[in-house]
């Protein structure tokens, strides 16, 4: 995108924000390129970020977003709601121990405010050469409420560090978070106390230190319950705080499809893939521009973690066990012993679906739409013939599903017969269970994901389901379904 086009889009973006950010469904705007049929095009557009995307026919004229602003196209993208990923309540803490010297990825918080987050890394203050701790504003400065000189402890107070003796740094300054104006980062620094040693080692040696061959790309500070993560760009953070990394030439821009990794207090080591590199979102009145997004990458308490290039792109945050009540409801409807298969379902979720971008999306859909699915199953009725057909498929495919999806070493392949059976099942879903828009989306998933899977092994399926273009096409189809919860819910928990 050339500078002239970017400047024109900035003006159009501002006009759209002024007029529509007061709408509770609109969480932000961005400039970028239009996504069509799940693929990025070369058309520069203004991007409207909404909590819930609905068809134009279902939106009142007063709230309908324009198709163009100032002669530039508008692309509407659903994001759900967002939250800061610090915490004030104790959760499972893989990295909650005391480190001396304090290490990147360890638990950190403000003694006075009781905040809980992650030590991002150590940086050098360009103004005086001092060594400082880098983390999120809402972890070190409590959204600007903390006075300079306040004690920063490691571990955080909620992790047992609630004593002055655990002080490793004193809050120094933060990038201000201001409501009503665009912010581009949530970050702050605290100067190391005299006598505290300096180390670039990462907690538990879970990741290589930041270096010119292991470059930092961002700082995580927003997360959903399912691990969806927003990050500020690292160069933005460093420039606005007037600090530098201890090793030169160790930052890089985020790239869509690029693998990333981090170590943080709550989720430990994780690796994911960058799915977006530009966004504007609004969280409790705070607007943020130009953020990075990845799936299943951080949890509450991970705020402040520095994100680097690298990893396998699929070491994700854990998911809680899927409630077996959906299996129970489906089993009751079709007279099948599905409730006995919950352990296999968890295995398939973690060892197959949980290893790909599309698979994680499917798992997230189950969690977010569970009540709707269960209510439909409990209200539906089926004929004896339908029950008999369901049992035939269950007996035919139970062993295949367990073997193909749950066994990491499986070499079984999907056959054309298998795919044809899936087509028959999709076609047979009644309106009681699957609405017409949902069925239309299922056919897109069938054409883009299932049909091309003939002859693929488990490993080949995972590779295909991690294709960014495939993920984008599936997301685009799902977002056309009225009432379907597609994206995570984000918000902050440090106050």
């Amino acid at each position: 995108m050339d500078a002239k086009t970017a400047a024109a889009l900035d003006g159009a973006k501002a006009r759209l924000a002024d007029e529509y950010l007061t709408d509770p469904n609109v969480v932000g705007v961005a400039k970028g390129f239009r996504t069509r049929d799940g693929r990025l095009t070369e058309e520069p557009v203004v991007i409207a970020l909404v909590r819930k995307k609905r068809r134009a026919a279902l939106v009142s004229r007063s709230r309908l977003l324009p198709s163009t602003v100032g002669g530039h196209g508008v692309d509407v993208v659903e994001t759900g709601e967002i939250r800061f990923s610090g915490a004030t309540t104790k959760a499972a803490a893989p990295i909650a121990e005391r480190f001396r010297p304090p290490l990147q990825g360890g638990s950190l918080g403000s003694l006075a405010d009781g905040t809980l987050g992650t030590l991002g890394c150590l940086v050098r203050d360009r103004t005086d050469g001092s060594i400082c701790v880098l983390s999120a504003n809402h972890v070190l400065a409590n959204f600007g409420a903390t006075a300079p000189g306040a004690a920063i402890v490691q571990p955080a107070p909620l992790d047992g560090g609630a004593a002055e003796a655990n002080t490793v740094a004193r809050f120094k300054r933060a990038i201000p978070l201001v409501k009503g104006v665009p912010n581009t980062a949530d970050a702050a620094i605290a100067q190391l106390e005299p006598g505290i040693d300096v180390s670039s080692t990462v907690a538990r040696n879970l990741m290589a230190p930041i270096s010119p061959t292991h470059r930092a790309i961002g700082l995580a500070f927003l997360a959903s319950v399912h691990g969806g993560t927003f990050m500020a760009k690292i160069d933005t953070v460093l420039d606005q705080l007037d600090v530098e990394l201890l090793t030169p030439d160790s930052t890089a821009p985020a790239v869509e499809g690029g693998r990333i990794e981090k170590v943080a207090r709550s989720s430990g080591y994780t690796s994911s893939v960058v799915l977006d590199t530009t966004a504007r979102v609004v969280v409790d009145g705070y607007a943020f521009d130009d953020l990075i997004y990845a799936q299943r990458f951080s949890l509450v308490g991970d705020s402040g973690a520095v994100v680097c290039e690298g990893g396998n792109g699929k070491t994700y945050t854990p998911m809680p066990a899927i409630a077996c009540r959906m299996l129970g409801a489906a089993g009751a409807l079709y007279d099948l012993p599905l409730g006995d298969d919950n352990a296999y379902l968890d295995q398939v979720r973690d060892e197959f679906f949980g290893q790909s971008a599309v698979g994680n999306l499917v798992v997230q859909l189950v969690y977010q739409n569970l009540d709707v699915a269960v209510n439909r199953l409990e209200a539906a009725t089926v004929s004896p013939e339908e029950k008999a057909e369901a049992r035939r498929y269950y007996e035919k495919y139970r062993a295949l599903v367990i073997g193909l999806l749950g066994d990491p070493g499986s070499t079984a392949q999907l056959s054309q017969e298998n795919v044809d059976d899936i087509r028959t099942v999709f076609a047979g879903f009644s309106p009681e269970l699957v609405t017409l828009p949902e069925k239309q989306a299922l056919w897109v998933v069938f054409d883009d994901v299932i049909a091309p899977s003939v002859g693929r092994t488990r490993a080949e399926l995972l590779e295909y389901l991690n294709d960014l273009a495939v993920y984008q096409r599936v997301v685009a189809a799902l977002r056309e379904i009225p009432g379907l919860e597609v994206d995570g819910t984000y918000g902050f928990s440090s106050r």
Side-chain angles (χ1 to χ4, degrees):
M1 185 184 301
D2 59 68
K4 183 177 179 180
T5 301
L9 285 174
D10 281 335
K13 182 177 71 174
R15 288 174 56 184
L16 189 70
D18 289 343
E19 187 168 352
Y20 290 96
L21 274 182
T22 55
D23 187 322
N25 190 48
V26 180
V27 297
V29 298
K31 68 174 182 286
F33 296 92
R34 186 183 298 279
T35 299
R36 181 176 286 112
D37 296 328
R39 296 180 181 274
L40 280 176
T41 71
E42 296 182 358
E43 179 190 354
V45 293
V46 176
I47 301 171
L49 304 169
V50 298
R51 287 183 173 89
K52 175 69 65 178
K53 185 175 179 180
R54 298 178 173 87
R55 291 177 298 167
L58 301 177
V59 181
S60 68
R61 287 186 174 274
S62 63
R63 299 180 62 191
L64 188 64
L65 290 165
S67 59
T68 62
V69 174
H72 299 279
V74 175
D75 196 15
V76 180
V77 176
E78 182 174 317
T79 65
E81 298 200 28
I82 53 178
R83 294 186 182 275
F84 292 95
S85 54
T88 53
T89 56
K90 190 170 183 177
I95 308 180
E97 62 262 41
R98 187 178 191 268
F99 295 108
R100 294 297 180 272
L103 301 182
Q104 176 178 341
S107 166
L108 190 77
S110 168
L111 180 60
D113 300 318
T115 57
L116 184 153
T118 296
L119 193 162
C121 68
L122 298 181
V123 295
R124 181 178 291 107
D125 188 342
R126 292 191 187 113
T127 68
D128 59 16
S130 63
I131 304 300
C132 299
V133 166
L134 172 67
S135 189
N137 175 318
H138 69 275
V139 173
L140 298 183
N142 196 18
F143 297 94
T146 302
I152 303 301
V153 293
Q154 196 291 309
L158 286 169
D159 288 330
E164 184 72 28
N166 290 309
T167 300
V168 294
R170 301 280 173 179
F171 169 61
K172 193 170 190 179
R173 65 176 177 270
I175 299 173
L177 290 175
V178 182
K179 291 186 177 183
V181 301
N183 302 275
T184 53
D186 174 347
I189 57 171
Q191 185 169 322
L192 281 185
E193 286 278 79
I196 299 295
D197 291 336
V198 174
S199 174
S200 60
T201 302
V202 178
R204 301 182 185 172
N205 292 306
L206 292 174
M207 185 175 74
I210 298 169
S211 72
T213 58
H214 187 235
R215 299 178 296 180
I217 65 113
L219 186 142
F221 68 99
L222 299 171
S224 77
V225 68
H226 300 114
T229 302
F230 285 91
M231 298 151 267
K233 294 177 178 176
I234 193 64
D235 286 326
T236 299
V237 169
L238 300 177
D239 289 345
Q240 292 191 28
L241 284 172
D242 202 9
V243 298
E244 61 189 9
L245 298 178
L246 299 188
T247 53
D249 303 319
S250 298
T251 67
V255 177
E256 280 195 12
R259 296 177 180 180
I260 54 176
E261 59 183 357
K262 67 101 188 79
V263 174
R265 178 263 178 196
S266 293
S267 58
Y269 174 84
T270 57
S271 178
S272 190
V273 173
V274 173
L275 297 177
D276 197 4
T277 59
T278 177
R280 179 179 176 186
V281 294
V282 178
V283 189
D284 281 10
Y286 294 104
F288 290 94
D289 272 326
D290 208 29
L291 301 183
I292 307 163
Y293 174 72
Q295 279 182 325
R296 289 188 62 188
F297 191 53
S298 69
L299 298 173
V300 167
D302 288 346
S303 273
V306 168
V307 178
C308 295
E309 296 176 312
N312 61 11
K314 54 182 180 181
T315 302
Y316 298 117
T317 55
M319 291 285 242
I322 294 177
C324 63
R325 60 193 182 97
M326 187 169 74
L327 285 184
L333 179 63
Y334 290 103
D335 290 337
L336 296 173
L338 297 179
D340 297 336
D341 292 332
N342 200 70
Y344 293 119
L345 179 66
D346 288 347
Q347 183 183 14
V348 168
R349 178 203 63 206
D350 294 335
E351 298 178 12
F352 182 77
F353 286 106
Q355 299 301 308
S356 70
V358 174
N360 277 314
L361 180 64
V362 171
V363 173
Q364 183 173 295
L365 284 172
V366 172
Y367 278 109
Q368 293 184 262
N369 299 277
L370 186 62
D371 288 339
V372 173
V374 170
N375 290 340
R376 290 182 186 177
L377 287 166
E378 291 178 342
T381 58
V382 294
S383 67
E385 292 77 17
E386 289 172 311
K387 290 183 179 182
E389 190 73 352
R391 177 164 290 277
R392 184 176 73 84
Y393 282 125
Y394 176 77
E395 293 174 349
K396 180 178 180 179
Y397 284 109
R398 182 175 183 271
L400 175 66
V401 170
I402 293 172
L404 176 63
L405 303 185
D407 178 8
S410 173
T411 57
Q413 298 175 334
L414 283 182
S415 68
Q416 186 62 53
E417 179 187 0
N418 302 150
V419 172
D420 289 343
D421 283 344
I422 295 173
R423 180 188 287 109
T424 301
V425 170
F426 278 15
F429 282 137
S430 71
E432 292 177 289
L433 296 176
V434 180
T435 67
L436 179 59
E438 289 167 355
K439 185 170 283 191
Q440 291 171 338
L442 279 178
W443 288 125
V444 173
V445 173
F446 182 88
D447 291 339
D448 281 351
V449 177
I450 298 173
S453 298
V454 173
R456 296 181 191 264
T457 65
R458 179 185 185 279
E460 291 168 339
L461 280 171
L462 284 176
E463 182 179 1
Y464 182 70
L465 295 177
N466 267 315
D467 188 308
L468 185 59
V470 175
Y471 166 85
Q472 290 171 335
R473 289 198 299 273
V474 173
V475 168
L478 293 173
R479 285 176 177 162
E480 293 299 317
I481 301 174
L484 186 70
E485 294 286 346
V486 178
D487 294 303
T489 299
Y490 302 84
F492 61 58
S493 54
S494 271
R495 297 183 186 275

